[in-house]
Amino acid sequence: MPEPVFPRTPLLTGSDSEQKRAEILRYFHATFDRYEQLFETLTCDEAYYRKPIALRHPLIFYLGHTATFFINKLVLADLIDRRIDPAYESMFAIGVDEMSWDDLNDERYDWPAVEAVKAYRRSVRDVVDRLIRTRPLTLPIGWDHPWWIVLMGIEHERIHLETSSVLIRQHHLRYVRPHPAWTPCRKSGAAPDNALVPVPATEVRLGRSIDDPVVYGWDNEFGRHAAAVPAFRASRHLVSNREFLDFVDAGGYADDALWDEEGAGWRKFAQAAHPTFWVRDGEAWRLRLMLEEVPMPWDWPVETNCHEARAFCRWKARATGQPVRLPTEDEWQALCRHAGAEGPPDGRAVAANLQLDHYASSCPVTEFAHGPFFDVVGNVWQWTETPTYPFAGFATHPIYDDFTVPTFDDRHNLIKGGSWIACGNEALTGARYAFRRHFFQHAGFRYVVAGAPAAIPASRYETDAQISQYAEFHYGDAYFNVPNFPRALARLAVEAMGKRPVRRALDLGCAVGRASFELARYFEHVTGIDFSARFIQLGTQLAEQGRLRYTLVEEGELLTYKERSLAELGLDAVAAKVEFLQGDACNLKPIFAGYDLILAANLIDRLYSPRRFLETAHTRLNPGGLLVIASPYTWLPEHTRREEWIGGFKKDGENFTTLDGLQAILGEHFRLAREPAGVPFVIRETRRKFQHTLSEVTVWERR
């Protein structure tokens, strides 16, 4: 069996920290090298700037994105003290999944030259190399360990190794070329007849402990989940191209009865009549691989999105009279254990088309047996019926709090098992990746026949304590006769505007968005920006759907369930005037300028560098525009390093307040337009515990 192409995701335990340091250094460079090698398949600079598909950025973004991810996370974790290129670290930061707060508007980007991005990557490589070589390392490495962030960056790049390979596969053939490091499988033969194999009833226990992670993992893998799985039968093989051809030839794509509403909407929008990587060649079919087209290998697994896989199952159920469907995550885990396809990485080449150990493509569905099945792991990812959801005890990582939470929307389904290019964490059976049901990855499916319907866990009520508190803070009840804080700030800001233009407003640090909607009562357009995608998600949900649901803690484990709508608040008519985007107030893109008002509510004492925001605020405002700052001035080192505070300390033996600092920083470009005022707010924690705070509001007019 060939030697593994890639080192495996490192174990986080051991007794020799220097040996572990060397292992992580190899892991970093191997990953960085392999990712850059992927882009060697592009034929010209134009290939970097032409989008492979409309819903993703051009490939120049992905070349830069994984490198800026390292820097942005290392800065946030205080592991490095300076950026390399703030413009790049803003431009390449966001826009990976098709979220409504992703900024995919080409007019907002002036993409740099390919060579400039490659030079930036070399600088990032030097920074991370130096960090790994010199940073103190103690074992084991855990969730709160500084080295967890280093591994986070490496594993993040391995994810994009796969997703970027899909985009390259979706690119026009003139933009790609064969490459000796990316050689596909050349085997093909007759497709097997698929058969159903029984899987006995069992109980699955899923989840990992933050206290003992063993290997790196993403937030959704941690927590606890247990379920009794009734007996079922599963297809021995992944569905092959030949097996799927029967569905195509039977008119499955044109049969509305086989598609649910969401799937039918995608099918009509895409005008889909066959799998996206199939290419009609007269009366024959060809298959688009990553870098070439080949005659159809009928015994390879078909690659589809979730909608197509579901439609096939409905067709199969109608044809056989059996309850055919996709497996759930729990059923896939039961099948995996029954086949004996579990186990941590051990450095050897695997008996599966996984981790780039064998091919740079799929291969016949008969090549890798796992117990009574084939391809339980590897070859292509396998769609499940399960929308991604949090295990009990789920927690976000403070340095990457939006890895999974934005996908808790019942629109992203879990894929399991990994593909030929799934490496590192992706290749683990406990990995929990999810994509929108209309997205394409190197993903196919196997089907099950089960008497019980698929059990779908709920994920739509917002249960994260902080998010729920902010949902109530912005949209919920008033407590102790204290007026709603975001609404009060918006009204104060509008009053201060007087007869100034009210065209465009920026709500910076918008949290879950109430002030953005309130400002939209008066302004023609409002942009709400927050660092946290978890906050942005709620604002976006309200703008799109008009309502949100969340839980509140009463006491202990007792909860109440709440629902709020824009209509109740008289804000439904202004929702179309509001957009929500994710961004870093200390490093905003230049496009965020030309505003008549900037509202920064309870923001400056939570920024890692408030001075950076304040020193550039005038560049984002029109002359005569207003900057409204509200803050309780609660300076804490966990949010802002002591040397970055702008007030709240002794200077030259005298008290130096935050207002003093604001005047010193803003004085060159602003004048204080009115006397500071105190605005109170209350945040509910439980039924009997509240935070009551006074925020000082200052209004600054750009000179």
Side-chain angles (χ1 to χ4, degrees), residues 245-291:
L245 178 66
D246 291 338
F247 169 74
V248 175
D249 288 346
Y253 278 88
D255 189 341
D256 289 342
L258 301 175
W259 302 80
D260 59 23
E261 182 179 0
E262 181 188 342
W266 165 79
R267 185 196 69 199
K268 292 173 183 175
F269 173 80
Q271 297 183 314
H274 55 77
T276 194
F277 297 119
W278 287 20
V279 180
R280 178 78 75 174
D281 184 15
E283 295 300 312
W285 289 100
R286 297 174 68 79
L287 183 66
R288 171 63 191 267
L289 306 183
M290 186 169 77
L291 304 176

Side-chain angles (χ1 to χ4, degrees), residues 18 22 47 66 73 119 208 211 245 281 301 307 315 340 372-373 437 466 485 487 497 523 567 572 578 601:
E18 291 309 305
T66 57
K73 297 308 180 188
R208 300 166 57 189
D211 298 327
L245 178 66
D281 184 15
H307 295 310
W315 171 78
F373 295 95
R437 290 184 279 269
Q466 184 185 28
F485 182 69
R487 182 175 59 186
M497 290 296 293
F523 284 80
D572 50 325
V578 180

Side-chain angles (χ1 to χ4, degrees), residues 372-586:
F373 295 95
F374 287 79
D375 295 324
V376 173
V377 295
N379 219 353
V380 293
W381 290 94
Q382 300 168 49
W383 285 105
T384 73
E385 276 293 346
T386 307
T388 188
Y389 70 97
F391 289 156
F394 169 82
T396 60
H397 195 283
I399 303 301
Y400 197 0
D401 70 350
D402 56 351
F403 179 80
T404 306
V405 171
T407 68
F408 292 155
D409 58 2
D410 289 343
R411 298 179 182 180
H412 292 70
N413 274 41
L414 288 163
I415 53 176
K416 305 296 292 185
S419 74
W420 53 270
I421 196 174
C423 302
N425 171 269
E426 284 188 305
L428 305 179
T429 57
R432 304 183 77 225
Y433 293 90
F435 282 89
R436 288 181 181 261
R437 290 184 279 269
H438 64 272
F439 261 34
F440 292 96
Q441 293 298 307
H442 304 299
F445 64 101
R446 65 174 3 104
Y447 49 85
V448 301
V449 172
I456 306 299
S459 64
R460 292 309 297 262
Y461 267 97
E462 179 55 65
T463 57
D464 180 281
Q466 184 185 28
I467 303 298
S468 294
Q469 286 177 12
Y470 269 81
E472 180 70 1
F473 177 37
H474 279 229
Y475 302 102
D477 301 330
Y479 298 98
F480 308 108
N481 297 314
V482 175
N484 180 278
F485 182 69
R487 182 175 59 186
L489 285 184
R491 290 180 174 178
L492 186 154
V494 169
E495 177 190 349
M497 290 296 293
K499 295 183 178 181
R500 295 176 178 85
V502 285
R503 291 182 294 268
R504 300 177 67 233
L506 174 61
D507 183 9
L508 194 54
C510 65
V512 295
R514 176 65 180 272
S516 300
F517 289 114
E518 294 290 346
L519 289 172
R521 295 182 190 269
Y522 308 95
F523 284 80
E524 295 174 14
H525 185 79
V526 179
T527 300
I529 294 180
D530 201 277
F531 188 78
S532 170
R534 295 187 297 152
F535 284 161
I536 292 298
Q537 183 181 24
L538 255 68
T540 300
Q541 179 183 326
L542 263 173
E544 293 178 350
Q545 302 173 19
R547 64 180 62 248
L548 62 84
R549 300 180 177 92
Y550 55 96
T551 60
L552 290 178
V553 176
E554 291 290 291
E555 57 180 89
E557 298 177 349
L558 303 180
L559 305 175
T560 56
Y561 294 81
K562 300 198 71 169
E563 181 174 315
R564 285 290 185 268
S565 71
L566 290 181
E568 293 175 56
L569 303 171
L571 294 168
D572 50 325
V574 302
K577 297 163 64 177
V578 180
E579 67 172 343
F580 291 102
L581 298 167
Q582 189 180 10
D584 179 353
C586 303

Side-chain angles (χ1 to χ4, degrees), residues 7-192:
R8 303 316 195 219
T9 190
L11 294 175
L12 305 182
T13 56
S15 57
D16 189 334
S17 60
E18 291 309 305
Q19 185 180 57
K20 188 62 62 179
R21 182 193 305 276
E23 180 185 2
I24 293 172
L25 187 65
R26 288 193 301 272
Y27 193 58
F28 164 67
H29 282 294
T31 304
F32 220 75
D33 289 343
R34 193 63 159 151
Y35 190 69
E36 292 180 346
Q37 197 174 53
L38 183 66
F39 289 84
E40 293 173 7
T41 65
L42 302 181
T43 58
C44 59
D45 281 1
E46 185 183 356
Y48 285 88
Y49 301 106
R50 186 66 59 91
K51 286 184 176 183
I53 60 172
L55 297 178
R56 294 291 179 98
H57 278 309
L59 285 162
I60 189 70
F61 170 86
Y62 298 95
L63 180 65
H65 171 68
T66 57
T68 61
F69 182 93
F70 271 108
I71 300 304
N72 285 331
K73 297 308 180 188
L74 293 174
V75 166
L76 189 60
D78 207 20
L79 295 178
I80 58 176
D81 59 7
R82 63 173 61 92
R83 295 185 173 278
I84 295 175
D85 188 320
Y88 279 21
E89 286 138 21
S90 176
M91 177 187 300
F92 292 113
I94 302 163
V96 174
D97 195 7
E98 181 202 338
M99 297 298 190
S100 55
W101 55 84
D102 286 343
D103 185 1
L104 300 177
N105 185 344
D106 286 334
E107 295 179 359
R108 295 187 175 185
Y109 293 90
D110 183 14
W111 298 114
V114 174
E115 276 307 313
V117 179
K118 289 181 177 178
Y120 175 82
R121 286 186 60 88
R122 289 192 290 272
S123 297
V124 172
R125 186 193 287 263
D126 290 344
V127 167
V128 179
D129 178 279
R130 184 164 57 252
L131 181 70
I132 295 173
R133 291 180 187 275
T134 61
R135 179 83 187 187
L137 172 60
T138 57
L139 297 175
I141 298 171
W143 173 275
D144 296 322
H145 197 292
W147 282 67
W148 188 269
I149 313 306
V150 176
L151 291 166
M152 178 184 289
I154 302 171
E155 294 292 351
H156 173 263
E157 188 153 60
R158 290 196 168 210
I159 294 174
H160 282 284
L161 179 70
E162 174 151 6
T163 57
S164 295
S165 77
V166 176
L167 289 173
I168 289 172
R169 189 178 184 184
Q170 292 172 311
H171 228 350
H172 196 284
L173 276 173
R174 68 175 176 271
Y175 292 131
V176 301
R177 59 189 168 203
H179 190 290
W182 300 100
T183 303
C185 177
R186 300 299 183 190
K187 303 175 186 176
S188 181

Side-chain angles (χ1 to χ4, degrees), residues 288 616 668 692:
R288 171 63 191 267
T616 60
E668 180 180 356
H692 188 182

